[in-house]
PDB file of all heavy atoms in Angstrom:
ATOM      1  N   PRO A 309     -13.008  12.403  13.019  1.00 93.00           N
ATOM      2  CA  PRO A 309     -12.092  13.557  12.904  1.00 93.00           C
ATOM      3  C   PRO A 309     -12.539  14.800  12.289  1.00 93.00           C
ATOM      4  O   PRO A 309     -12.244  15.834  12.740  1.00 93.00           O
ATOM      5  CB  PRO A 309     -10.877  12.951  12.097  1.00 93.00           C
ATOM      6  CG  PRO A 309     -10.988  11.543  12.189  1.00 93.00           C
ATOM      7  CD  PRO A 309     -12.548  11.220  12.366  1.00 93.00           C
ATOM      8  N   CYS A 310     -13.603  14.590  11.413  1.00 95.00           N
ATOM      9  CA  CYS A 310     -14.252  15.799  10.783  1.00 95.00           C
ATOM     10  C   CYS A 310     -15.044  16.607  11.896  1.00 95.00           C
ATOM     11  O   CYS A 310     -15.062  17.792  11.933  1.00 95.00           O
ATOM     12  CB  CYS A 310     -15.288  15.406   9.736  1.00 95.00           C
ATOM     13  SG  CYS A 310     -14.501  14.517   8.425  1.00 95.00           S
ATOM     14  N   ARG A 311     -15.717  15.807  12.714  1.00 96.00           N
ATOM     15  CA  ARG A 311     -16.487  16.413  13.863  1.00 96.00           C
ATOM     16  C   ARG A 311     -15.657  17.051  14.782  1.00 96.00           C
ATOM     17  O   ARG A 311     -15.927  18.159  15.434  1.00 96.00           O
ATOM     18  CB  ARG A 311     -17.414  15.436  14.546  1.00 96.00           C
ATOM     19  CG  ARG A 311     -18.414  14.776  13.604  1.00 96.00           C
ATOM     20  CD  ARG A 311     -19.619  14.043  14.407  1.00 96.00           C
ATOM     21  NE  ARG A 311     -19.012  13.033  15.221  1.00 96.00           N
ATOM     22  CZ  ARG A 311     -18.888  11.764  14.967  1.00 96.00           C
ATOM     23  NH1 ARG A 311     -19.207  11.358  13.693  1.00 96.00           N
ATOM     24  NH2 ARG A 311     -18.407  10.754  15.805  1.00 96.00           N
ATOM     25  N   LYS A 312     -14.438  16.496  15.028  1.00 95.00           N
ATOM     26  CA  LYS A 312     -13.435  17.063  15.897  1.00 95.00           C
ATOM     27  C   LYS A 312     -12.944  18.419  15.477  1.00 95.00           C
ATOM     28  O   LYS A 312     -12.615  19.349  16.281  1.00 95.00           O
ATOM     29  CB  LYS A 312     -12.255  16.189  16.013  1.00 95.00           C
ATOM     30  CG  LYS A 312     -11.321  16.535  17.169  1.00 95.00           C
ATOM     31  CD  LYS A 312     -10.229  15.478  17.389  1.00 95.00           C
ATOM     32  CE  LYS A 312      -9.317  15.826  18.563  1.00 95.00           C
ATOM     33  NZ  LYS A 312      -8.203  14.845  18.785  1.00 95.00           N
ATOM     34  N   GLU A 313     -12.911  18.561  14.114  1.00 96.00           N
ATOM     35  CA  GLU A 313     -12.412  19.860  13.588  1.00 96.00           C
ATOM     36  C   GLU A 313     -13.399  20.853  13.481  1.00 96.00           C
ATOM     37  O   GLU A 313     -13.152  22.130  13.263  1.00 96.00           O
ATOM     38  CB  GLU A 313     -11.898  19.618  12.208  1.00 96.00           C
ATOM     39  CG  GLU A 313     -10.669  18.626  12.060  1.00 96.00           C
ATOM     40  CD  GLU A 313      -9.461  19.447  12.816  1.00 96.00           C
ATOM     41  OE1 GLU A 313      -9.230  20.667  12.746  1.00 96.00           O
ATOM     42  OE2 GLU A 313      -8.704  18.738  13.491  1.00 96.00           O
ATOM     43  N   LEU A 314     -14.692  20.488  13.500  1.00 97.00           N
ATOM     44  CA  LEU A 314     -15.815  21.442  13.366  1.00 97.00           C
ATOM     45  C   LEU A 314     -15.764  22.647  14.256  1.00 97.00           C
ATOM     46  O   LEU A 314     -15.947  23.862  13.658  1.00 97.00           O
ATOM     47  CB  LEU A 314     -17.117  20.686  13.516  1.00 97.00           C
ATOM     48  CG  LEU A 314     -18.454  21.476  13.313  1.00 97.00           C
ATOM     49  CD1 LEU A 314     -18.435  22.182  11.849  1.00 97.00           C
ATOM     50  CD2 LEU A 314     -19.602  20.601  13.372  1.00 97.00           C
ATOM     51  N   PRO A 315     -15.517  22.655  15.501  1.00 97.00           N
ATOM     52  CA  PRO A 315     -15.344  23.859  16.299  1.00 97.00           C
ATOM     53  C   PRO A 315     -14.364  24.871  15.790  1.00 97.00           C
ATOM     54  O   PRO A 315     -14.654  26.085  15.866  1.00 97.00           O
ATOM     55  CB  PRO A 315     -15.110  23.320  17.660  1.00 97.00           C
ATOM     56  CG  PRO A 315     -15.534  21.959  17.843  1.00 97.00           C
ATOM     57  CD  PRO A 315     -15.335  21.501  16.345  1.00 97.00           C
ATOM     58  N   TYR A 316     -13.259  24.362  15.314  1.00 97.00           N
ATOM     59  CA  TYR A 316     -12.204  25.340  14.784  1.00 97.00           C
ATOM     60  C   TYR A 316     -12.571  25.904  13.459  1.00 97.00           C
ATOM     61  O   TYR A 316     -12.310  27.151  13.190  1.00 97.00           O
ATOM     62  CB  TYR A 316     -10.984  24.537  14.646  1.00 97.00           C
ATOM     63  CG  TYR A 316     -10.509  23.987  15.992  1.00 97.00           C
ATOM     64  CD1 TYR A 316     -10.737  22.557  16.275  1.00 97.00           C
ATOM     65  CD2 TYR A 316      -9.977  24.740  16.986  1.00 97.00           C
ATOM     66  CE1 TYR A 316     -10.233  21.989  17.379  1.00 97.00           C
ATOM     67  CE2 TYR A 316      -9.458  24.120  18.217  1.00 97.00           C
ATOM     68  CZ  TYR A 316      -9.734  22.810  18.381  1.00 97.00           C
ATOM     69  OH  TYR A 316      -9.321  22.303  19.565  1.00 97.00           O
ATOM     70  N   ILE A 317     -13.322  25.142  12.651  1.00 97.00           N
ATOM     71  CA  ILE A 317     -13.830  25.694  11.317  1.00 97.00           C
ATOM     72  C   ILE A 317     -15.008  26.767  11.635  1.00 97.00           C
ATOM     73  O   ILE A 317     -14.910  27.785  11.059  1.00 97.00           O
ATOM     74  CB  ILE A 317     -14.353  24.557  10.412  1.00 97.00           C
ATOM     75  CG1 ILE A 317     -13.213  23.623  10.010  1.00 97.00           C
ATOM     76  CG2 ILE A 317     -14.945  25.242   9.119  1.00 97.00           C
ATOM     77  CD1 ILE A 317     -13.538  22.396   9.219  1.00 97.00           C
ATOM     78  N   LYS A 318     -15.805  26.411  12.580  1.00 97.00           N
ATOM     79  CA  LYS A 318     -16.781  27.407  12.861  1.00 97.00           C
ATOM     80  C   LYS A 318     -16.128  28.662  13.359  1.00 97.00           C
ATOM     81  O   LYS A 318     -16.607  29.809  13.124  1.00 97.00           O
ATOM     82  CB  LYS A 318     -17.755  26.845  13.981  1.00 97.00           C
ATOM     83  CG  LYS A 318     -18.727  25.724  13.456  1.00 97.00           C
ATOM     84  CD  LYS A 318     -19.383  25.078  14.643  1.00 97.00           C
ATOM     85  CE  LYS A 318     -20.305  26.130  15.408  1.00 97.00           C
ATOM     86  NZ  LYS A 318     -20.999  25.285  16.522  1.00 97.00           N
ATOM     87  N   GLU A 319     -15.191  28.574  14.235  1.00 97.00           N
ATOM     88  CA  GLU A 319     -14.599  29.820  14.870  1.00 97.00           C
ATOM     89  C   GLU A 319     -13.742  30.567  13.750  1.00 97.00           C
ATOM     90  O   GLU A 319     -13.783  31.816  13.662  1.00 97.00           O
ATOM     91  CB  GLU A 319     -13.541  29.406  15.929  1.00 97.00           C
ATOM     92  CG  GLU A 319     -12.681  30.634  16.518  1.00 97.00           C
ATOM     93  CD  GLU A 319     -13.593  31.568  17.138  1.00 97.00           C
ATOM     94  OE1 GLU A 319     -14.767  31.290  17.431  1.00 97.00           O
ATOM     95  OE2 GLU A 319     -13.126  32.736  17.449  1.00 97.00           O
ATOM     96  N   SER A 320     -13.099  29.974  12.794  1.00 97.00           N
ATOM     97  CA  SER A 320     -12.450  30.490  11.703  1.00 97.00           C
ATOM     98  C   SER A 320     -13.460  31.316  10.769  1.00 97.00           C
ATOM     99  O   SER A 320     -13.201  32.337  10.422  1.00 97.00           O
ATOM    100  CB  SER A 320     -11.800  29.501  10.819  1.00 97.00           C
ATOM    101  OG  SER A 320     -12.522  28.681  10.019  1.00 97.00           O
ATOM    102  N   HIS A 321     -14.575  30.794  10.440  1.00 97.00           N
ATOM    103  CA  HIS A 321     -15.698  31.470   9.765  1.00 97.00           C
ATOM    104  C   HIS A 321     -16.196  32.615  10.541  1.00 97.00           C
ATOM    105  O   HIS A 321     -16.383  33.704   9.890  1.00 97.00           O
ATOM    106  CB  HIS A 321     -16.873  30.441   9.615  1.00 97.00           C
ATOM    107  CG  HIS A 321     -17.896  30.999   8.607  1.00 97.00           C
ATOM    108  ND1 HIS A 321     -19.105  31.328   9.210  1.00 97.00           N
ATOM    109  CD2 HIS A 321     -17.944  31.273   7.334  1.00 97.00           C
ATOM    110  CE1 HIS A 321     -19.835  31.871   8.046  1.00 97.00           C
ATOM    111  NE2 HIS A 321     -19.122  31.780   7.050  1.00 97.00           N
TER     112      HIS A 321
END
Side-chain angles (χ1 to χ4, degrees):
C310 300
R311 297 197 303 269
K312 187 176 180 180
E313 292 298 319
L314 182 55
Y316 302 102
I317 295 177
K318 286 171 62 176
E319 177 60 19
S320 72
H321 185 251

